[in-house]
Amino acid sequence: MTSEVARNHMNRIWESATTALLGRLNAEGFMGYWPSVAEDDNADPRDRGYAKWLVDAEKVVLSTTLAEAPWARTRVVNAPAADVVTNLKATGEGDILVNSSASIIKPLLAADLLDRLYLMVFPEIAGGGQRLFDDGLPATKWTLTHQQSGELGEIAMVYDRAR
């Protein structure tokens, strides 16, 4: 669902990030879609902003099947997400963005390596898909730092890890 609140939330997500961490399936989907948005003068400026950021940002794709990256500014890594993020945090600058990839977010939650969660709740039941918050995660505390609701009943929330 695309709404003003969702677009604003998406814009908020990438503003301080320098690296995109993606699973292979998300990388294929994102890189198949967003580069054309970056070139589309008629696209919403917020969509173009994210698209240009994604095209220009360093991208790390976690994959056991890709041998090399088919996208510019991208490297493929076959390693656990927690190890990759620990290394990126030690050697890089700026924030690491994991966007819509439950297979990466879940192990990072389990290892307590996430500092911020950007969540969107839509008044719709998808009826399937992966759960983000599985049983067995360690107990953690989070502080709500931003919230916005929209006309469609959607709610954008930003939570920072309380340490």
Side-chain angles (χ1 to χ4, degrees), residues 110-125:
D112 197 17
L113 287 171
L114 294 180
D115 299 316
R116 177 170 288 156
L117 290 171
Y118 292 89
L119 301 173
M120 283 289 308
V121 176
F122 294 95
E124 224 174 85
I125 297 175

Side-chain angles (χ1 to χ4, degrees), residues 80-92 96 108 111 113:
D83 293 348
V84 172
V85 167
T86 298
N87 185 49
L88 287 170
K89 283 184 169 189
T91 59
I96 303 161
L108 297 178
L113 287 171

Side-chain angles (χ1 to χ4, degrees), residues 139-156:
T140 54
K141 293 188 186 264
W142 297 82
T143 303
L144 180 66
T145 58
H146 177 84
Q147 68 180 7
Q148 182 181 8
S149 59
E151 295 177 4
L152 303 174
E154 73 278 22
I155 303 170

Side-chain angles (χ1 to χ4, degrees), residues 60-75:
V60 178
V61 176
L62 299 182
S63 177
T64 59
T65 58
L66 282 177
E68 57 185 56
W71 312 285
R73 296 178 193 81
T74 304
R75 62 188 163 104

Side-chain angles (χ1 to χ4, degrees), residues 13-62:
I13 286 173
W14 62 267
E15 62 190 9
S16 64
T18 57
T19 304
L21 180 59
L22 303 156
R24 180 188 55 83
L25 291 176
N26 267 9
E28 289 172 346
F30 282 22
M31 297 312 292
Y33 175 75
W34 287 108
S36 64
V37 175
E39 302 297 323
D40 183 356
D41 292 336
N42 296 316
D44 185 285
R46 294 163 293 186
D47 294 347
R48 284 189 75 200
Y50 172 77
K52 286 180 180 184
W53 172 83
L54 183 62
V55 168
D56 293 340
E58 175 189 10
K59 292 168 282 299
V60 178
V61 176
L62 299 182

